[in-house]
């Protein structure tokens, strides 16, 4: 094509125009164009750009177009577009949304010859099995995320603390040493950030409740079981950070990660997706540690993931191209690129639990956490989050006991679950 | 074409008139009435945006009226209105009445009052959200801390959060109301005032007997307009409470935010449509009642 164009260039301007039209015509004839959608998060967009470049180099006849939307709009855009036959051929969905899409026949099962279930089960983390329907997988992740404790190295040094906390008791002591107040007693630097709205509701549900001896739900996540002595103890412990120990203030500096980024928080619990943003914060020296162990040494973690799926819009050669792209997105190579660009961990233990990753000071604690992490199956994540947020607010603002607050939370959440599943 | 030629001039005029009228009629039918009707239908259905719709009768309405959160939210919505409309009208009238008498830098002062109205609500809401933060970043609380006064909870209190969101909303709408009031005051013929002065009437009587009665159309317009605005309040609340939408403990949640949450977080479109129909009915009733009460007798 290039040679053809060059010849025309030498001839005349009209020749060039004709050549361009000709070139465009042939290119369109043998190229398949597919669309990939995800929400906008800079590191993720960059990662997909790299993946598309590699994929197109290996498959010159396929063009992948990436489209992104702000996170707040993403779910609605996807939900409105796919049923209308408008949206993407390959789409990124939160694992918790899968049911609705499967029920509405909006995504296609991955063919078992290209994606054999036995192989997936042998290679991927077990939580991915939630993506299986009738013997075939509906969707697969590139990466998974877990929680860990971020800590500010400078503040630790300043307070003479050598290592991040290993247990919940140590966490309280260290947080106390890191807390600063002004002359009127107002907190100006928190020992640990809190706020059930960010990642703490996951920490409470899957980690604290279990560490205090309970379990948040039945195994199918359709029944609330945290409303017992262990759940109450877990909520009380969390509320005590603010009410008794005074080492935190929920919502300090508006958002917990903002307080940590600004160096106004000694510790902060967050997901692996925060790594990219913290890396680009100048002057912040931070480290990562595993979530502290419970009273009897038990560790737990919460893991979540976004999956890729082929939509029912992709048909014929587009479907073929979409499946090829899916295969690449879930390859070891793609997972490594994702880890390096976004900081999210590979979805396969073979790729994630390598010695190099375990020894990595930043990825290490997350990788360890993945080994014992649980994945909550949400019916309505924001609704279920609100329930836990409200329980804490009742304690902080209305002086309710942890028992009353949790009782109300359990009843409300159970109603949400019943309505969704029945 | 033959048919058209055989029409009389009068009939042709009718055809043309309807031809032009068809445009807004079609526009309103397609853009307004069709979706409104669709929402009413949807309120009797169950739909999660992805799958098919199924009929479920009046279940959505039963659920709505049995939901304590709905009644809390309903109360909040009216609180925004009951606090908002009278206070903002009173304040804007006082400003307009006095500003009308000011000659010094009149244009500049008027522009200053109008400025917040032109500012994007989202930007304004975020700015106020930061003003309200506790130390170390909140402007108001930093000022309080500087003079050793305890922190004020603003958005973190179930009692004060609603007024804290309401205040910037009133402030932002003030400019518009001031301008409309001033236009209304200017439109009152000067001869009435001259006659009153010749009769030796005091300023209070002039205000009560001339200015206010003649401002009635302006007041009716502003009452209806601002009531609809407060009943539909959303942007301020949504942007100032994104960490806990409508919180704490639903203390600031207006009806529109509940609708948004039901539709785009819970994806319960039928239930959201039922809430929308209730809001629509409330708006309609409030507007009709106000127009009736304030109608010229």
């Amino acid at each position: 094509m290039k040679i053809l164009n060059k010849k025309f260039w030498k001839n005349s301007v009209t020749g060039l125009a004709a050549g361009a039209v000709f070139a465009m015509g042939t290119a369109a004839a043998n190229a398949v164009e597919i669309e990939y959608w995800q929400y906008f998060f800079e590191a993720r967009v960059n990662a997909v750009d790299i993946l598309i470049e590699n994929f197109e180099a290996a498959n010159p006849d396929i063009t992948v177009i990436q489209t992104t939307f702000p996170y707040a709009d993403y779910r609605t855009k996807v939900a409105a577009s796919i049923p209308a036959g408008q949206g993407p051929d390959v789409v990124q969905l939160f694992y918790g949304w899968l049911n609705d899409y499967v029920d509405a026949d909006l995504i296609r099962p991955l063919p078992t010859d290209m994606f054999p279930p036995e192989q997936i089960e042998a290679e991927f983390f077990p939580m991915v099995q939630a993506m299986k329907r009738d013997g075939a997988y509906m969707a697969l992740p590139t990466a998974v995320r877990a929680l860990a404790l971020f800590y500010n190295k400078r503040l630790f040094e300043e307070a003479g603390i050598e290592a991040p906390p290993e247990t919940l008791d140590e966490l309280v002591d260290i947080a106390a040493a890191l807390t600063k107040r002004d002359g009127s007693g107002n907190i100006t630097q928190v020992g640990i950030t809190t706020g059930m709205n960010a990642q703490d509701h996951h920490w409470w549900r899957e980690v604290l409740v279990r560490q205090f001896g309970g379990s948040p739900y039945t195994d199918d996540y359709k029944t609330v079981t945290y409303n017992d002595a262990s759940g109450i103890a877990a909520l009380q412990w969390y509320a005590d950070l603010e009410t008794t120990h005074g080492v935190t203030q929920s919502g300090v500096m508006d958002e917990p990660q903002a307080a940590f980024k600004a160096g106004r928080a000694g510790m902060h619990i967050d997901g692996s997706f925060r790594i990219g943003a913290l890396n680009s914060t100048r002057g912040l020296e931070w480290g990562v540690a595993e979530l502290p162990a419970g009273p009897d040494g038990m560790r737990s973690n919460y893991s979540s993931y976004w999956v890729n799926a082929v939509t029912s819009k992709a048909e014929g050669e587009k479907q073929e191209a979409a499946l090829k792209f899916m295969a690449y997105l879930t390859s070891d190579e793609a997972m490594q690129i994702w880890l390096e660009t976004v900081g999210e961990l590979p979805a396969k233990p073979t790729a994630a639990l390598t010695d190099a990753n375990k020894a990595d000071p930043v990825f290490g604690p997350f990788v360890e956490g993945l080994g014992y992490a649980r994945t909550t199956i949400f019916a309505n994540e924001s609704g279920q989050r609100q329930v836990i947020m409200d329980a804490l607010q009742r304690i902080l603002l209305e002086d309710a006991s942890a028992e009353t607050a949790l009782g109300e939370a359990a009843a409300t959440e159970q109603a949400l679950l019943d309505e969704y599943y029945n | 074409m033959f048919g058209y030629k055989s029409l009389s001039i009068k009939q042709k005029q009718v055809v043309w008139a309807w031809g032009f009228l068809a445009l807004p009629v079609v526009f309103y039918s397609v853009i307004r009435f069709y979706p409104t009707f669709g929402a009413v239908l949807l309120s009797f259905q169950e739909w999660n945006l992805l799958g098919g719709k199924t009929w479920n009768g009046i279940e959505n309405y039963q659920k709505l009226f049995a939901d304590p959160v709905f009644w809390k939210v309903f109360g909040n919505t009216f609180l925004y209105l009951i606090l908002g409309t009278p206070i903002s009208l009173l304040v804007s009238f006082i400003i307009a009445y006095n500003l009308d008498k000011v000659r010094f830098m009149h244009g500049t002062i008027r522009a200053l009052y109008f400025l917040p109205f032109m500012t994007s609500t989202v930007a304004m809401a975020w700015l106020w959200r930061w003003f309200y933060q506790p130390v170390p970043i909140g402007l108001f609380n930093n000022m309080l801390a500087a003079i050793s006064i305890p922190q004020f909870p603003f958005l973190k209190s179930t009692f004060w959060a609603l007024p804290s969101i309401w205040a910037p909303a009133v402030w932002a709408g003030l400019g518009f109301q001031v301008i409309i009031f001033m236009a209304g005051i200017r439109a009152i013929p000067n001869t009435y005032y001259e006659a009153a002065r010749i009769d030796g009437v005091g300023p209070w009587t002039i205000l009560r007997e001339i200015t206010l009665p003649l401002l009635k159309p302006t007041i009716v317009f502003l009452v209806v307009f601002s009531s609809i605005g407060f009943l539909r309040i959303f942007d301020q609340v949504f942007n100032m409470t994104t960490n806990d939408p409508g919180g704490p403990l639903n203390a600031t949640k207006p009806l529109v935010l509940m609708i948004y949450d039901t539709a785009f977080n819970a994806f319960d479109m039928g239930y959201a449509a039922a809430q929308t129909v209730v809001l629509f009915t409330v708006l309609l009733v409030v507007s009709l009642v106000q127009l009736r009460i304030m109608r010229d007798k």
Side-chain angles (χ1 to χ4, degrees):
Chain A
M1 206 58 63
K2 255 184 185 167
I3 302 165
L4 198 69
N5 269 341
K6 261 185 192 165
K7 208 175 106 192
F8 276 6
W9 172 251
K10 280 173 189 163
N11 287 347
S12 68
V13 181
T14 29
L16 174 74
V21 170
F22 177 59
M24 277 159 62
T26 43
N30 56 24
V32 185
E33 196 179 273
I34 55 169
E35 216 174 306
Y36 182 75
W37 279 20
Q38 69 164 335
Y39 68 87
F40 185 86
F41 189 88
E42 202 179 353
R44 301 173 80 94
V45 176
N46 294 342
V48 171
D49 281 339
I50 299 172
L51 294 175
I52 289 176
E53 202 177 303
N54 293 348
F55 177 74
E56 286 180 345
N59 301 276
D61 55 335
I62 302 176
T63 314
V64 185
I65 295 170
Q66 178 181 200
T67 309
T68 60
F69 297 97
Y71 181 78
D73 292 344
Y74 185 67
R75 190 173 176 188
T76 317
K77 290 268 187 199
V78 174
S81 308
I82 297 183
Q86 288 289 325
D89 301 289
V90 181
V91 65
Q92 218 181 76
L93 301 171
F94 191 59
Y95 75 96
W97 306 347
L98 194 82
N99 271 339
D100 294 340
Y101 284 79
V102 173
D103 291 347
D105 289 326
L106 294 172
I107 54 176
R108 290 183 197 282
L110 300 170
T112 46
D113 53 332
M114 270 181 94
F115 300 89
E118 317 79 58
Q119 200 188 329
I120 292 171
E121 273 142 43
E123 288 181 355
F124 280 81
F125 277 109
M127 57 193 156
V128 174
Q129 286 169 22
M131 300 294 113
K132 193 176 169 183
R133 297 285 185 285
D134 301 326
Y137 275 82
M138 304 300 295
L140 284 175
T142 304
V144 290
R145 55 225 328 219
L147 299 178
L149 180 90
F150 290 85
Y151 62 97
N152 187 318
K153 286 184 175 171
R154 282 198 183 152
L155 299 183
F156 266 56
E157 206 172 299
E158 196 185 287
I161 301 159
E162 278 167 11
E166 276 293 315
T167 64
L168 293 178
D169 290 339
E170 276 179 44
L171 181 135
V172 175
D173 296 339
I174 293 179
L178 291 164
T179 307
K180 281 186 192 163
R181 288 171 185 277
D182 65 10
S184 329
N186 304 313
I187 286 196
T188 54
Q189 177 180 307
V190 294
I192 181 166
T193 60
T194 46
M196 286 291 190
N197 59 308
Q199 298 298 315
D200 282 10
H201 68 110
H202 297 305
W203 183 38
W204 180 80
R205 221 188 254 117
E206 291 293 357
V207 184
L208 292 178
V209 170
R210 292 182 192 280
Q211 287 176 334
F212 280 85
S215 67
Y217 305 90
T218 49
D219 287 343
D220 59 4
Y221 284 89
K222 290 180 184 173
T223 311
V224 172
T225 55
Y226 56 65
N227 189 19
D228 59 10
S230 355
I232 294 166
L235 187 61
Q236 188 67 56
W237 181 86
Y238 186 87
D240 280 350
L241 289 174
E242 178 158 351
T243 53
T244 310
H245 307 297
V247 298
T248 187
Q249 187 179 28
S250 75
V252 71
M253 289 190 70
D254 206 27
E255 290 177 330
Q257 72 270 17
F260 187 74
K261 263 190 182 176
R264 295 276 190 172
M267 294 177 283
H268 170 58
I269 286 172
D270 214 330
S272 32
F273 44 84
R274 191 68 58 199
I275 295 171
L278 291 178
N279 269 333
S280 58
T281 308
R282 274 204 283 166
L284 184 71
E285 278 182 42
W286 51 278
V288 186
E290 279 180 77
L291 293 182
D296 58 358
M298 186 223 185
R299 286 190 193 267
S300 182
N301 205 312
Y302 164 76
S303 160
S304 65
Y305 50 99
W306 285 74
V307 290
N308 298 294
V310 176
T311 69
S312 50
K313 181 200 154 201
E315 281 176 339
E317 55 178 9
K318 284 202 180 215
Q319 189 185 358
E320 253 167 67
L323 286 170
K324 270 191 196 170
F325 189 53
M326 263 297 293
Y328 180 64
L329 283 177
T330 51
S331 66
D332 288 8
E333 183 189 320
M335 291 183 184
Q336 193 57 37
I337 291 173
W338 200 271
L339 174 71
E340 284 158 13
T341 323
V342 187
E344 288 182 339
L345 310 159
K348 293 178 183 172
T350 44
L353 304 174
T354 59
D355 290 338
N357 282 344
K358 279 185 180 174
D360 188 289
V362 174
F363 298 134
F366 289 103
V367 171
E368 294 289 351
L370 263 188
Y372 46 76
R374 317 230 180 195
T375 302
T376 318
I377 302 169
F378 287 108
N380 168 3
E381 194 190 359
S382 67
Q384 289 174 267
R385 180 187 75 149
Q386 189 68 50
V387 165
I388 308 298
M389 282 160 59
D390 286 353
L392 183 69
Q393 296 283 34
R394 287 211 168 86
I395 298 176
L396 298 181
L397 299 179
E398 294 184 339
D399 287 326
S401 69
E403 200 179 345
T404 323
L406 202 61
E408 269 184 65
T412 316
E413 186 167 0
Q414 190 59 55
L416 274 177
L417 293 174
D418 287 346
E419 202 191 313
Y420 182 81
Y421 290 113
N422 297 324
Chain B
M1 273 302 107
F2 179 75
Y4 179 74
K5 272 183 184 163
S6 65
L7 295 175
S8 68
I9 290 181
K10 194 112 196 174
Q11 284 167 326
K12 279 179 183 169
Q13 282 175 336
V14 171
V15 168
W16 276 99
W18 275 105
F20 284 114
L21 278 175
L23 198 64
V25 168
V26 168
F27 176 82
Y28 269 94
S29 309
V30 175
I31 305 292
R32 290 279 163 98
F33 300 138
Y34 170 69
T36 308
F37 186 66
V40 175
L41 274 190
L42 189 58
S43 72
F44 298 103
Q45 293 171 326
E46 196 181 323
W47 187 39
N48 70 353
L49 201 62
L50 293 172
K53 299 172 186 170
T54 48
W55 290 96
N56 67 351
I58 55 164
E59 219 173 273
N60 288 328
Y61 289 95
Q62 282 172 334
K63 182 177 158 191
L64 188 64
F65 295 127
D67 187 351
V69 176
F70 169 72
W71 291 110
K72 169 83 185 152
V73 163
F74 199 76
N76 289 341
T77 310
F78 273 91
L79 205 54
Y80 281 115
L81 168 74
I82 291 162
L83 286 174
T85 300
I87 296 182
S88 70
L89 249 68
L90 186 69
V91 173
S92 57
F93 176 74
I94 293 172
I95 293 171
Y97 185 74
N98 290 298
L99 192 58
D100 188 52
K101 297 183 164 52
V102 173
R103 288 287 155 265
F104 175 70
M105 298 229 301
H106 177 85
T108 315
I109 298 172
R110 204 173 50 181
L112 283 179
Y113 277 109
F114 200 64
L115 218 51
F117 186 71
M118 301 195 297
T119 312
S120 137
T121 316
V122 177
M124 192 202 74
W126 276 84
L127 212 68
W128 279 83
R129 172 180 174 161
W130 288 326
F131 285 170
Y132 284 145
Q133 291 300 313
V135 287
I137 57 167
L139 179 78
F140 297 144
N141 274 321
N142 275 346
M143 283 154 80
L144 293 178
I147 46 173
S148 294
I149 292 176
Q151 299 281 286
F152 193 81
F154 294 113
L155 297 172
K156 292 183 193 305
S157 139
T158 45
F159 183 78
W160 289 109
L162 191 140
S164 301
I165 291 174
W166 165 88
V170 169
W171 169 70
L174 220 53
F176 176 74
Q177 297 183 347
V178 168
I179 296 290
I180 301 291
F181 263 130
M182 282 181 62
I185 293 171
R186 293 274 167 93
I188 299 171
N190 228 347
T191 43
Y192 294 138
Y193 291 110
E194 280 165 10
R197 268 194 292 275
I198 290 166
D199 290 345
V201 181
W204 266 113
T205 319
I206 292 180
L207 180 66
R208 247 189 20 245
E209 300 295 332
I210 299 177
T211 311
L212 284 180
L214 287 170
L215 270 180
K216 196 164 176 183
T218 312
I219 296 172
V220 173
F221 168 75
L222 283 177
V223 166
V224 173
F225 200 81
S226 107
S227 302
I228 293 176
F230 280 111
L231 287 174
R232 291 192 318 184
I233 189 166
F234 173 78
D235 320 29
Q236 286 90 349
V237 192
F238 181 73
N239 285 290
M240 289 172 81
T241 63
T242 50
N243 284 339
D244 182 359
L249 296 172
N250 296 319
T252 60
K253 194 180 271 180
L255 203 45
V256 184
L257 185 54
M258 187 181 178
I259 294 170
Y260 174 86
D261 193 48
T262 312
F264 301 115
N265 283 323
F267 285 83
D268 196 346
M269 294 296 160
Y271 191 33
Q275 295 164 12
T276 313
V277 170
V278 170
L279 175 68
F280 175 77
T281 315
V282 168
L283 284 173
L284 194 68
V285 169
V286 167
S287 305
L288 288 179
V289 166
Q290 284 174 341
L291 284 173
R292 196 171 181 86
I293 290 173
M294 307 194 79
R295 196 170 54 180
D296 281 324
K297 298 213 171 72

